[in-house]
């Protein structure tokens, strides 16, 4: 019996070892140091090959630079479905086997910080160093006045447009931020272009996290947000008058069938949508459609409202389980420094998380990418920083989906507010 | 002489006992792996769920579990979403079980005939069963597309306007029911088919000599002979139906307006997405009791007949 348990444990650990996909040790480093080397582990989810390669290279360089002092072993966790990585973290929390350094999605930072899974890093970053990060990275990485996790890169949502369709209707999308389209102007464009199987826009990436990521900005543009600044209550924010107006705008677009609620992912690429709310990650795919002539303009704002844009990215933090916080913070600083940020931005078509990194990214000085840079470095807002974020994003996404298919706007938003507030009071209020 | 006999007899008995004991041991060692798996992955987790049901347990704070007594259950019985999910689950079950079993029986009767290419039909009806439910659910999202889906195009041909299907609170659950029946009926068909082939040909021959027509044969021979198979089919279909998860998870995420939120989906959302492991455990316990109640009453109802 004992043998059986041992055997099965062995089998499980073997399987775990296989799926871990550990990166190769650069070999000699750990051997030469004779015990004085501090071994650190670093978890991050598997991404595209080019992205993974940047990390492998940067970690190797870190190990060389710190030979005899620190050695980092990076474990790339496969992410079969979107929660496999988070599930692994949950399990590691329970068994206190978290790595020293871990990557996490931006909106999870507050939740992990509140649960003491990650520790504050303020003492390891100088003021100038922090100021070099774009503002949305600092916003996303801070919880209750402390800084926990810098982002590896940034993201943004812009409005892509089909140049041919715009030309047909004599529309010239703005290329200066002060002229950015308002909701009304965008609506007029959609009205004009939406016919013969072409939708005015394509704006449903998925009905989950995307809904919060992209559409929370409509609340911000109106001068409110979906929760208060402290992240403790949604009542009077998500369901405020301005919030209702934002949601009613989305419902109007849906009622007039200006977008497809269940779109094909390549609707815009195939010329079946005149505009598209999307991000830099869409751009590489556009190459597969030689007939498509595309341009970029700013994320539309509320008439008379605030110019804003979505942001958010994966970030890295130091786990509460680590025995070497100082060394782990060194790794974080290295992997998010100017060189790393620049190299990552070059490899994947995502904007950098540091202002200084844009210096060498010259392609961001000209159209169309200039628009992304202006949004990232100037006007972007991070998603709400609250430990009850998982409930907020689920309920908000559900409500927006319901509203788009005809549910009562006020009632749906009231429900988000009361569910979030109950949850916060029950689990996070002191 | 006598003593020798006795000794032999004793020897014989004790060797018999030894053998018997060995047999018992072998038996136990054969069931041990299964029992261990059951204990570790079924009994123990369930007992833990009962225990966690009385606690406030954030999945990310396993070191800070608080005992809260019946707090979760109090919350549960005032949670509108729980009743809504319970109602949705029961609605799905009550519709799906008879419809799916009925369709399966009809399909089985069809492919039990001596038609040409009946194996082709059998495979055709069975093929959705072997396809992953996730794949099928994604496929049906595009079939049900309210703007340009295949089904709406077909309706258009008959002059019926576009239907919202999954994107309306009134039609979403029924759309899921339709596609679930289509997906799963093939499985029950195979069981019915096996049952049909177990019915003796003599019965049909004898009845046709007595002048029974096809309908009478169906009524008085086929259906009564399938009674046990039917009980089995109804039971497994019911158990599958109350566990409804994949279709709403993939296709609607419980919406619109919670019209497709089932108990399984609610447990998943509370436990894993919201990380309220304590509350989710309490719902699981109630869910378990409901399933037990249903299967016992079905067993009683169907056996008493």
């Amino acid at each position: 019996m004992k043998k059986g348990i041992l055997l099965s444990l062995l089998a499980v650990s073997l399987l775990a070892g296989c799926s871990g996909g550990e990166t190769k040790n650069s070999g000699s480093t750990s051997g030469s140091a004779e015990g004085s080397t501090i071994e650190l582990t670093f978890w991050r989810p598997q991404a595209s090959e080019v992205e993974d390669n940047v990390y492998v290279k940067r970690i190797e360089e870190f190990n060389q630079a710190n030979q005899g002092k620190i050695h980092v072993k990076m474990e790339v966790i496969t992410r079969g479905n979107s929660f496999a990585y988070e599930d692994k973290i949950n399990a590691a929390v329970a068994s206190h086997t978290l790595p020293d350094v871990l990557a996490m999605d931006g909106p999870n930072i507050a939740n992990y910080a509140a649960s003491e899974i990650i520790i504050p890093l303020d003492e390891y970053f100088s003021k100038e160093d922090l100021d070099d990060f774009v503002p949305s990275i600092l916003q996303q990485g801070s919880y209750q006045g402390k800084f926990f996790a810098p982002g590896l890169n940034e993201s943004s949502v812009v409005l892509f447009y089909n140049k041919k369709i715009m030309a047909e209707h004599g529309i010239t999308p703005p290329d200066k931020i002060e002229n950015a389209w308002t909701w009304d102007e965008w609506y007029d464009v959609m009205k004009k272009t939406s016919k013969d199987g072409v939708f005015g826009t394509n704006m449903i990436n998925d009905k989950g996290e995307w809904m919060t990521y992209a559409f929370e900005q409509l609340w911000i543009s109106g001068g409110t947000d979906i929760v208060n600044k402290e992240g403790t209550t949604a009542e009077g924010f998500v369901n405020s008058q301005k919030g209702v107006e934002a949601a009613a705008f989305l419902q109007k677009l849906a009622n007039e069938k200006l977008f497809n609620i269940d779109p094909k992912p390549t609707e815009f690429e195939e010329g079946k949508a005149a505009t598209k709310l999307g991000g830099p990650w869409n751009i590489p795919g556009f190459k597969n459609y030689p007939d498509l002539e595309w341009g970029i303009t700013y994320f539309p704002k509320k008439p008379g409202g605030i110019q804003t844009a979505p942001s958010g990215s994966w970030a890295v933090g130091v786990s509460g389980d680590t025995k070497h916080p100082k060394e782990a913070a060194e790794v974080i600083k290295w992997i998010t420094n100017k060189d790393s940020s620049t190299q990552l931005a070059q490899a994947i078509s995502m904007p950098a998380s540091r202002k200084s990194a844009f210096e060498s990214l010259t392609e961001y000085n000209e159209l169309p990418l200039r628009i992304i840079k202006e949004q990232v470095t100037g006007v972007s807002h991070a998603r709400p920083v609250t430990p009850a974020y998982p409930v907020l994003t689920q309920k908000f996404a559900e409500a927006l989906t319901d509203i788009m298919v005809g549910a009562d706007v006020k009632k749906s938003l009231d429900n988000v507010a009361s569910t979030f507030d109950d949850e916060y009071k029950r689990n996070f209020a002191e | 002489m006598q003593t020798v006999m006795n000794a032999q007899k004793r020897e014989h008995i004790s060797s018999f006992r030894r053998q018997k004991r060995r047999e018992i041991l072998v038996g136990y060692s054969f069931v041990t792996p299964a029992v261990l798996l059951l204990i570790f992955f079924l009994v123990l987790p369930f007992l833990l769920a009962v225990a966690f049901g009385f606690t406030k347990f954030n999945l990310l704070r396993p070191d800070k579990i608080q005992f809260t007594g019946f707090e979760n259950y109090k919350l549960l019985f005032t949670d509108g979403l729980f009743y809504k999910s319970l109602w949705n689950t029961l609605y799905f079950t009550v519709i799906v079980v008879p419809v799916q079993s009925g369709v399966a029986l009809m399909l089985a009767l069809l492919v039990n005939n001596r038609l040409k290419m009946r194996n082709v039909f059998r495979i055709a009806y069975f093929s959705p069963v072997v396809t992953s439910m996730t794949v099928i659910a994604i496929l049906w999202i595009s079939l049900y597309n309210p703007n340009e889906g295949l089904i709406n195009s077909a309706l258009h041909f008959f002059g019926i306007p576009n239907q919202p299907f999954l994107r309306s609170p009134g039609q979403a659950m029924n759309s899921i029911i339709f596609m679930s029946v289509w997906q799963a009926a093939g499985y029950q068909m195979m069981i019915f088919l096996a049952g049909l082939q177990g019915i003796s040909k003599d019965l049909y021959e004898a009845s046709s000599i007595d002048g029974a027509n096809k309908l009478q044969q169906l009524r008085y021979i086929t259906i009564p002979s399938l009674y046990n198979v039917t009980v089995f089919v109804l039971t497994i279909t019911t158990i599958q139906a109350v566990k409804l998860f994949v279709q709403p998870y993939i296709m609607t995420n419980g919406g619109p307006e919670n019209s497709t939120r089932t108990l399984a989906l609610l447990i998943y959302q509370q436990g894993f997405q919201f990380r309220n492991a304590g509350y989710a455990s309490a719902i699981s316990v109630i869910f378990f009791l409901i399933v037990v109640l249903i299967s016992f009453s079905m067993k009683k109802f169907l056996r008493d007949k």
Side-chain angles (χ1 to χ4, degrees), chain A residues 111 260 262 398 402 426, chain B residues 56 60 145 147 167 275:
Chain A
N111 193 286
N260 193 345
D262 288 309
E398 281 172 18
D402 287 355
R426 209 175 306 128
Chain B
K56 192 164 108 180
L60 293 182
N145 189 306
N147 299 306
R167 305 302 164 217
R275 297 167 186 156

Side-chain angles (χ1 to χ4, degrees), chain A residues 162-164 266 268-271 283-294:
Chain A
N162 185 315
K163 281 186 174 168
K164 282 182 198 160
T266 53
F268 175 75
E269 287 86 332
E270 288 168 19
I283 296 174
F286 290 167
K287 287 195 192 81
N288 304 330
Y289 295 82
D291 287 344
L292 175 72
E293 289 175 36
W294 55 276

Side-chain angles (χ1 to χ4, degrees), chain A residues 137-210:
Chain A
I137 286 287
L138 295 178
Q139 194 192 346
Q140 160 188 285
S142 301
Y143 176 66
Q144 293 190 339
K146 291 185 187 129
F147 185 67
F148 283 86
L152 301 154
N153 58 272
E154 241 316 344
S155 70
S156 199
V157 173
V158 291
L159 190 67
F160 292 106
Y161 57 86
N162 185 315
K163 281 186 174 168
K164 282 182 198 160
I165 298 178
M166 293 300 133
E168 261 173 51
H169 294 87
I171 300 166
T172 329
D175 59 4
K176 290 207 173 60
I177 198 154
E178 56 272 21
N179 301 333
W181 273 340
T182 63
W183 298 349
D184 294 345
E185 287 166 308
W186 183 33
Y187 170 79
D188 290 338
V189 170
M190 285 188 257
K191 261 309 209 205
K192 275 186 203 159
T193 52
S194 178
K195 60 178 111 168
D196 310 327
V198 174
F199 286 96
T201 196
N202 167 298
M203 60 180 206
I204 308 291
N205 250 14
D206 62 69
K207 296 183 189 71
E209 188 56 32
W210 166 262

Side-chain angles (χ1 to χ4, degrees), chain B residues 264-279:
Chain B
L265 201 58
L266 184 71
I267 292 168
Y268 170 78
Q269 189 175 50
Q270 280 292 344
F272 291 99
Q273 294 183 308
F274 298 172
R275 297 167 186 156
N276 292 330
Y279 189 48

Side-chain angles (χ1 to χ4, degrees), chain B residues 26-37:
Chain B
V26 168
Y28 275 125
S29 62
F30 270 120
V31 296
T32 306
V35 170
L36 275 183
L37 285 175

